[in-house]
Amino acid sequence: MAESVDPIPEAWKSLWDKWDLRAFIFISLFLQTLLVLVAPLRKRTSRSWVIMPLWSAYLLADWAANFAVGLIASSNADSKSKGKTSTDADLLAFWAPFLLVHLGGPDTITAFALEDNELWLRHLFGLLFQCIAVVYVFIQAVPVKENLWIPTLLMFLAGVIKYAERTRSLYLASASSFRDSMLTEPDPGPNYAKLMDEYFSKKMARLPTRIEMLPEPDRVVKAANTFKPGPLTNLQVVQYAYRYFETFKGLVVDLIFSFRERNQSRDFFLARSAEDAFRVVEVELNFLYEVLFTKLPVVYDGLGYCCRCFSSIAVIMSLVLFYHTGKEKFEGFDVGVTYTLLIGAITLDVVAFIMLVFSDWTVVALQKSPDQDTSSTKSRSSRILSWLLEIKTKRFKLDSLPILSRRWGETMSTYNLICYCLNRRPRNRTLLFEYVGLTTFLDEIWYVERIRFYPTLRDFIFKELKGKSQMADDLDTAREICSAKGEWVLRIEDYGRKELLPFVVDVDYDESLLLWHIATDLCYHDEKDEPQNEDYRSIAKHISDYMIYLLVMQPNMMAAVSGIGLIRFRDTCAEATKFFRNSNVKFRKSWFSSCCGGKVDLEVLQQASERILAVNTEVPPITVKGDRSKSVLFDAAILAHRLKELPQKDIITGKVDKWYIISKVWIELLSFAATHIRSDSHAQQLSRGGDLITIVWLLMAHFGLGDQFQINEGHARAKLIVGK
């Protein structure tokens, strides 16, 4: 009988048995280092070259540490069965708690997505089982006479603290816990039964009786509405951002707010410039990101300070004790591995401490309110905190590395329907990618263009929202403004165009997006178009492409407002592609250029626009095609013709051109989506570089625009008045 051949050579098995554990320990340490350094960048960028390695490291970190703990337990068992020296088991037992520290993860990331927070109970069980595994390894090494049990115990306690911090962070950021933490004590209101008994008894005694509601004292409201006028310093931006973060963080879990909170926030932001308002909102969203995705809220409390100090001291003491322990019986390489783990743990703690010092949480912990900035304290704490913020904001002010200094991505992803139709990938080239579900990833690379969020666009958005907030003194007006999808602008007498109302009022929101997107593009590529103000033209174009990016590339985020948007988009693309081919519009012939997502030539875009506009649209498309196809290509052409008929006069003359109207319509379409998208979708975007629509959502809430303000101005108490 032929002897079976082992496919794996014995030398390879021996090599694996010797280096598997050590390799995974180094991998685990490397992944922790990568998470510490790279995780803060994900709130500042949505670039795949940052997000993908971070996502991989986040998934692999727990797996590598768990696998290494299992290898240690297995190695100790094999050592006893094969009669190896007990010193090996002693050193392996010392390594196990380091992996528990790694499982605790860095301060900079606890959850990669909001769904990870809901798995806090799984992490709690993981903590218990991993502690049992480490204790098992430690018990196996108890008979050893080396003096490593004390540093092993210290590292075990440090690992438990780190893992417990992570589990608690996940628990506090879970939706139910986050909501419960913001609920106030139940308010039963006045003692209705007692008051009515007294009222009825007075009535029966034929005494003149009435119930009077006493309003809340004005001094309380006035004190809460105080804020510093003028431009904001870096310190004041952080302080005001934290104040409104504490008030409005309930937006994430759909809590409601009172009119007092609305008026406080509205008065503050109406008095701000566009730059300062956006700075405050950006810092506020940073606080929200850190609450949902990092350990910082757990670290910044009394218990957190104590636990962090103890764990750091435990690691340092372990290094000192190991240094003074006799290591003659240990292999030199294993001693080096141990020193690497100890020094690595201390280095990561130092990096975490530096990040904590320069964190916005440190600023508000030392001086929470800008009202504390009096003349007696200004020369001390305020100057120190301002100095820290100055270092933080300017230490990485490099034109080549803006990602290190900004607070969010500061970019807009854009997607254009006509460019997509003129630059379609050959389907036979991407069948494999479709099979493995990577088509969206490829579309992100080939068809999505990112542009900088520029000040002109910021100022225009702020001006529009501020103007609407000034009109929204009551809740009904605020709700009407938030529900507008362009009709608010088109009905204004000064520059309203009621003939355009059917394109926003009589259609669904997703259809309106596609109609105005294509019409904007057709007008934009009109060679005869000469706008008086180029800024409005650029703003309309960029918001148009941005909203289509959200509709097509972020369907989960837009699910609440998109309806059958993807079906309309696909049908429209199919009709446009067919029309371009029949009209002899130039397509890209180079497979390389189409696969690399190169831009379509301006000449081709102008030609395509001319061909679409040249089609006779006297008869509505639905009359000819029916409603089976949801394409809106030639409906958009009708809208484009209507827009082209609008006057092209400058706003200074008392009239406005079409681009001013189009840009204002797009702001309303953006605002409508911002207030109607699910709040957890906005929160999820914070972990992917943030997004303009999320900033608009929070800014609108601060301006009092939304339906989350549902508590009328309250009363202090009801008082029974007897007599005239």
Side-chain angles (χ1 to χ4, degrees), residues 243-257:
R243 171 185 292 183
Y244 292 112
F245 158 73
E246 284 291 309
T247 303
F248 285 91
K249 62 184 179 181
L251 286 170
V252 177
V253 286
D254 299 318
L255 293 184
I256 59 175
F257 303 91

Side-chain angles (χ1 to χ4, degrees), residues 201-218:
S201 63
K202 302 298 183 185
K203 281 286 189 181
M204 293 297 294
R206 300 183 182 278
L207 296 175
T209 308
R210 71 181 188 276
I211 297 176
E212 183 175 329
M213 304 300 294
L214 300 182
E216 296 178 347
D218 290 339

Side-chain angles (χ1 to χ4, degrees), residues 21 57 74 111 241 468 499 546 584 596 702:
L21 173 58
S74 177
K468 292 180 178 180
E499 66 269 22
Y546 172 67
N584 296 320
C596 291
H702 286 314

Side-chain angles (χ1 to χ4, degrees), residues 94 97 138 148-158 318:
F94 187 39
F138 181 72
L148 288 182
W149 69 272
I150 296 179
T152 301
L153 182 60
L154 289 174
M155 286 305 306
F156 175 75
L157 294 177
S318 297

Side-chain angles (χ1 to χ4, degrees), residues 13 34 156-157 242 303 320 383 394 466 526 571 689:
K13 288 184 178 180
L34 184 65
F156 175 75
L157 294 177
Y242 183 77
L303 181 61
V320 173
R383 287 185 178 179
K394 292 189 175 181
K466 182 178 179 179
D526 182 7
D571 289 354

Side-chain angles (χ1 to χ4, degrees), residues 112-381:
F112 190 84
L114 284 179
E115 293 78 8
D116 295 328
N117 292 321
E118 306 304 321
L119 302 178
W120 67 269
L121 192 58
R122 179 184 297 180
H123 282 270
L124 178 60
F125 278 102
L127 169 62
L128 297 177
F129 285 115
Q130 290 302 324
C131 287
I132 292 173
V134 173
V135 169
Y136 169 73
V137 172
F138 181 72
I139 292 175
Q140 285 184 316
V142 165
V144 180
K145 301 303 181 184
E146 304 297 336
N147 296 320
L148 288 182
W149 69 272
I150 296 179
T152 301
L153 182 60
L154 289 174
M155 286 305 306
F156 175 75
L157 294 177
V160 171
I161 290 173
K162 290 279 190 180
Y163 209 150
E165 284 179 344
R166 181 183 183 184
T167 305
R168 177 166 169 76
S169 298
L170 293 170
Y171 166 71
L172 293 178
S174 62
S176 58
S177 177
F178 194 69
R179 183 185 298 107
D180 292 344
S181 67
M182 288 174 287
L183 295 178
T184 58
E185 291 294 326
D187 183 10
N191 192 333
Y192 176 79
K194 180 180 178 181
L195 185 67
M196 292 308 296
D197 285 342
E198 294 180 3
Y199 177 77
F200 183 73
S201 63
K202 302 298 183 185
K203 281 286 189 181
M204 293 297 294
R206 300 183 182 278
L207 296 175
T209 308
R210 71 181 188 276
I211 297 176
E212 183 175 329
M213 304 300 294
L214 300 182
E216 296 178 347
D218 290 339
R219 57 184 177 84
V220 177
V221 178
K222 290 179 180 179
N225 281 341
T226 58
F227 52 82
K228 294 182 180 298
L232 300 179
T233 64
N234 289 332
L235 177 58
Q236 291 171 342
V237 166
V238 174
Q239 291 169 331
Y240 281 118
Y242 183 77
R243 171 185 292 183
Y244 292 112
F245 158 73
E246 284 291 309
T247 303
F248 285 91
K249 62 184 179 181
L251 286 170
V252 177
V253 286
D254 299 318
L255 293 184
I256 59 175
F257 303 91
S258 68
F259 275 85
R260 175 191 291 182
E261 293 166 330
R262 177 185 188 267
N263 293 336
Q264 292 172 8
S265 172
R266 181 169 172 261
D267 292 344
F268 173 82
F269 279 88
L270 286 175
R272 301 272 73 84
S273 65
E275 182 180 2
D276 282 347
F278 271 77
R279 288 169 65 201
V280 171
V281 170
E282 289 165 14
V283 177
E284 187 178 348
L285 289 174
N286 269 250
F287 280 121
L288 184 59
Y289 163 82
E290 287 163 351
V291 164
L292 296 175
F293 300 103
T294 74
K295 284 185 182 180
L296 292 184
V298 172
V299 176
Y300 276 100
D301 60 24
L303 181 61
Y305 292 139
C306 295
C307 291
R308 182 52 55 91
C309 290
F310 178 83
S311 63
S312 299
I313 293 173
V315 177
I316 295 173
M317 289 301 299
S318 297
L319 174 61
V320 173
L321 292 174
F322 182 74
Y323 178 79
H324 291 287
T325 299
K327 296 176 279 293
E328 295 80 7
K329 296 183 180 180
F330 299 133
E331 292 186 13
F333 184 82
D334 289 348
V335 173
V337 172
T338 307
Y339 274 122
T340 302
L341 287 173
L342 286 165
I343 295 174
I346 294 174
T347 303
L348 293 179
D349 277 351
V350 171
V351 172
F353 176 75
I354 294 174
M355 289 182 174
L356 290 178
V357 169
F358 288 98
S359 170
D360 294 334
W361 293 86
T362 301
V363 174
V364 297
L366 296 177
Q367 188 172 317
K368 182 177 298 185
S369 172
D371 301 328
Q372 298 175 8
D373 190 12
T374 61
S375 57
S376 60
T377 61
K378 190 172 183 179
S379 60
R380 303 186 192 94
S381 61

